Amino acid sequence: MNNYNIERINLLEEAPTMEPERQLYYVAKCQQHVHALKEQLGRDVSCYVETFGCQMNARDSEKLLGILREIGYKVVDSEDADMVLYNTCTVRENANLRVYGRLGQLHVLKKKNPHMIIGLCGCMMQESEVVEKIKKSYRFVNIIFGTFNIFKIAELLCTYFDTKKQVIDIWNDTKEVVEELPTARKYPFKSGVNIMYGCNNFCSYCIVPYVRGREKSRPPIEIVREIERLVDDGVKEVMLLGQNVNSYGKTFEEPFTFAMLLKEVEKIKGLERIRFMTPHPKDFSDDLLEVMEHSEKICNHIHFPLQSGSSKILKIMNRKYTKEQYLDWVQKIREKLPDVSLTTDIIVGFPGETEDDFKDTLDVIQKAKFDSAYTFIYSKRTGTPAASMEGQVPESIVKDRFNRLLETVGCVSHEVHARYTGQTVKVLVECINSQDSSLVTGRLTNNMLVHFPGDASLIGKIIKVKLTESKGFYYIGCME
Ligand code: SAH
Ligand code: SF4
Ligand code: F3S
């Protein structure tokens, strides 16, 4: 789908210094290696990439898979592969623990397959103590790189093929992001599109700004061109991705807002649905609401991370809004977009959180009437300001609050979902239902799922479905 021609590359010449030409040169070099291995083994040479993190991490995995597929690897769905790459996340401690646990199992597989290459990349690798631990205790990992140089996978693989030594390449930041390389989408009909990288907000609990670097917005023209190409390739729905999409374009010489970007994306012919994630409440704008109100394509869903309902905790979290400001935005949103689905992220057990602070969180959930909420127990991240704050909340209290939080979120979302039962809505069919193959699963514009009788021919199509029953987190329906 991009403008490159690997056949024309002359491997007798030195590697080009410019990107993306340099990487295409290394792709061609890796192709030779993988081809030779295929001949030697008399079978396909396979690769497997697993995403441990958020949508941005998932989009990075698609870029990695695109390059690996171009190199000649057969993409498979299990770790019993010749190249296994874990694209890691470090937002909470348990994300890290999962990686270490899985690495142990992978070592067993590697002993059976001497050709297996193990790679680790992504956010966790941006932490120096993690890399030190892997160097010391996980010598069997072959390639380690971070978040800023995922585009270099082919070059790093070549280095490994040439040296057969553990390759480590971690950058601390980057000025430009290399795009224009092959990607392999998980779904033919929908795609994430990065509109910005990094984060400047430094919420006091969060490690993302340290592992993803400073905020950088992609020029609108590049984003629009990428989406046009995706649409030509069958994509109907895009998800515009950034840690704080509302601050899109703020670093440009000529200011260009997120609302302006949405208007440009709306014009793309053939594109049917636009989603975005994540808008930070502190930068939410009337312009954005206005654009959403008049748009035919922007989906009826806003993910609006609350984190805490207590103004005191929000201040220590460095979120830069109060409980009242958050609720004012919710009210404004509901006035302009009465059918919108609101979802959120909530952390319990942040240092200094009292019972009263927690009750404020429950209060906001009841007032905002979230369709659903991702709920997290606060996890201490080394290097963030909150890690050294006083008043860390004891585990037993946190667990109790977490259970109460789940209960409140569950009750509210049950009540909210019932309001759509009986309606006929447009649904983008995504897959065959994993539990019952006589059903397919589709997504409403408000991001909820509906399961209804259908077959594989519907996948990727937008069709009308009647929602016959609400099951709390999803619907049962039938085709109109
Ligand atoms: N940029 C997004 C969030 C990205 S991280 C935003 O500002 O909304 C996704 C979610 O992980 C956050 O919204 C937060 O709820 C949660 N999270 C981040 N750091 C955490 C930590 N240290 N402990 C628990 N949850 C955390
Ligand atoms: Fe983390 Fe805050 Fe940035 Fe979101 S806005 S990624 S929570 S620092
Ligand atoms: Fe995403 Fe996890 Fe990194 S949430 S940005 S993959 S730390």
Side-chain angles (χ1 to χ4, degrees):
M1 79 185 230
N2 294 311
N3 298 324
Y4 52 79
N5 190 345
I6 289 179
E7 283 84 51
R8 283 223 227 106
I9 293 169
N10 183 353
L11 290 177
L12 298 173
E13 288 174 7
E14 291 273 304
T17 49
M18 296 290 284
E19 299 292 4
E21 292 76 12
R22 182 177 174 86
Q23 292 316 309
L24 296 174
Y25 173 92
Y26 284 110
V27 166
K29 233 178 143 186
C30 285
Q31 279 176 345
Q32 285 190 336
H33 186 94
V34 167
H35 185 75
L37 188 61
K38 259 188 199 172
E39 299 271 291
Q40 181 197 332
L41 301 174
R43 61 164 174 85
D44 280 329
V45 176
S46 58
C47 76
Y48 172 74
V49 177
E50 182 155 333
T51 305
F52 283 76
C54 61
Q55 267 98 345
M56 275 167 249
N57 198 237
R59 183 66 183 147
D60 286 347
S61 294
E62 293 186 343
K63 294 178 182 176
L64 291 159
L65 271 174
I67 298 173
L68 291 171
R69 196 172 62 181
E70 194 72 37
I71 286 172
Y73 282 103
K74 181 179 177 214
V75 179
V76 294
D77 232 358
S78 103
E79 283 162 316
D80 192 3
D82 301 296
M83 160 88 199
V84 176
L85 189 57
Y86 285 166
N87 192 8
T88 63
C89 169
T90 186
V91 78
R92 287 169 290 274
E93 178 70 19
N94 53 7
N96 295 42
L97 297 177
R98 261 176 65 216
V99 170
Y100 291 124
R102 295 282 296 280
L103 272 178
Q105 296 164 17
L106 212 51
H107 197 194
V108 178
L109 280 177
K110 186 169 168 126
K111 283 182 187 149
K112 289 190 203 143
N113 177 3
H115 300 286
M116 186 193 271
I117 297 173
I118 298 179
L120 291 176
C121 64
C123 295
M124 210 174 138
M125 300 306 122
Q126 292 296 138
E127 295 178 280
S128 49
E129 57 284 6
V130 169
V131 176
E132 283 312 308
K133 181 166 170 171
I134 290 162
K135 266 160 69 176
K136 224 168 111 201
S137 312
Y138 298 84
R139 292 294 313 161
F140 58 91
V141 174
N142 308 107
I143 301 176
I144 301 164
F145 55 106
T147 55
F148 300 106
N149 54 351
I150 58 151
F151 69 91
K152 265 186 82 178
I153 171 98
E155 184 172 348
L156 300 174
L157 260 174
C158 274
T159 312
Y160 177 71
F161 290 145
D162 289 345
T163 63
K164 288 281 182 300
K165 292 208 175 95
Q166 193 173 56
V167 179
I168 303 179
D169 190 15
I170 312 285
W171 299 5
N172 287 325
D173 208 341
T174 181
K175 281 210 173 59
E176 53 161 356
V177 181
V178 181
E179 310 276 354
E180 301 293 315
L181 285 163
T183 56
R185 289 198 309 279
K186 188 169 173 196
Y187 299 97
F189 50 84
K190 68 170 186 176
S191 180
V193 174
N194 297 106
I195 63 164
M196 56 203 299
Y197 296 95
C199 181
N200 287 353
N201 290 311
F202 291 95
C203 301
S204 63
Y205 50 82
C206 184
I207 199 154
V208 171
Y210 304 88
V211 295
R212 288 270 170 180
R214 293 296 62 73
E215 208 169 272
K216 281 172 274 298
S217 298
R218 285 177 74 194
I221 182 83
E222 261 187 40
I223 296 168
V224 169
R225 279 204 197 117
E226 179 175 342
I227 300 175
E228 283 169 348
R229 281 199 303 254
L230 288 167
V231 170
D232 283 346
D233 199 41
V235 164
K236 295 197 169 133
E237 176 180 303
V238 289
M239 165 84 89
L240 308 179
L241 297 171
Q243 293 297 355
N244 176 7
V245 291
N246 288 327
S247 60
Y248 174 79
K250 286 197 174 155
T251 48
F252 292 157
E253 270 173 31
E254 294 256 321
F256 197 93
T257 64
F258 180 55
M260 288 156 81
L261 177 70
L262 281 172
K263 277 192 189 163
E264 292 307 308
V265 176
E266 174 97 19
K267 289 181 201 154
I268 298 173
K269 285 208 179 72
L271 180 67
E272 303 206 34
R273 284 179 163 192
I274 305 168
R275 298 185 185 279
F276 55 86
M277 184 156 187
T278 307
H280 193 305
K282 82 177 162 74
D283 295 318
F284 211 80
S285 72
D286 289 312
D287 284 0
L288 174 57
L289 266 189
E290 175 95 16
V291 172
M292 287 188 79
E293 199 184 351
H294 297 107
S295 163
E296 310 247 304
K297 299 184 180 174
I298 301 174
C299 287
N300 224 352
H301 172 216
I302 300 177
H303 185 66
F304 204 47
L306 168 68
Q307 312 302 358
S308 167
S310 150
S311 297
K312 178 194 101 190
I313 294 294
L314 286 167
K315 188 158 182 18
I316 323 174
M317 283 179 161
N318 195 27
R319 290 291 288 181
K320 300 196 168 74
Y321 52 86
T322 61
K323 174 184 180 183
E324 289 69 31
Q325 284 167 329
Y326 185 92
L327 284 171
D328 283 350
W329 268 120
V330 170
Q331 198 186 342
K332 249 189 187 174
I333 293 170
R334 297 252 184 245
E335 273 163 22
K336 291 257 184 194
L337 309 166
D339 275 342
V340 82
S341 143
L342 274 186
T343 58
T344 199
D345 290 350
I346 296 168
I347 299 176
V348 274
F350 184 83
E353 185 189 76
T354 62
E355 179 63 20
D356 280 348
D357 295 320
F358 176 64
K359 281 192 177 137
D360 272 332
T361 301
L362 297 183
D363 187 43
V364 176
I365 297 170
Q366 255 135 7
K367 289 190 169 129
K369 299 245 174 285
F370 296 116
D371 284 69
S372 67
Y374 294 94
T375 47
F376 307 108
I377 287 181
Y378 166 71
S379 170
K380 209 182 206 183
R381 308 314 291 130
T382 312
T384 62
S388 51
M389 282 181 190
E390 285 175 11
Q392 305 280 333
V393 186
E395 204 181 308
S396 58
I397 295 184
V398 178
K399 284 211 167 126
D400 172 63
R401 285 184 193 157
F402 188 67
N403 290 335
R404 286 155 64 204
L405 178 70
L406 286 184
E407 209 182 294
T408 307
V409 167
C411 279
V412 169
S413 66
H414 219 272
E415 176 192 325
V416 173
H417 287 170
R419 76 179 191 261
Y420 297 110
T421 312
Q423 288 188 15
T424 297
V425 294
K426 279 192 180 167
V427 165
L428 173 57
V429 183
E430 296 200 340
C431 56
I432 298 280
N433 186 293
S434 54
Q435 320 269 317
D436 178 348
S437 61
S438 70
L439 301 178
V440 289
T441 299
R443 198 174 289 273
L444 281 62
T445 101
N446 72 8
N447 211 36
M448 296 257 320
L449 294 178
V450 54
H451 307 297
F452 59 98
D455 60 39
S457 67
L458 296 172
I459 294 175
K461 293 193 177 139
I462 294 182
I463 56 169
K464 282 189 175 167
V465 174
K466 182 167 181 174
L467 307 174
T468 49
E469 196 184 341
S470 163
K471 293 276 192 187
F473 290 106
Y474 62 90
Y475 292 98
I476 301 293
C478 59
M479 266 193 283
E480 274 281 285

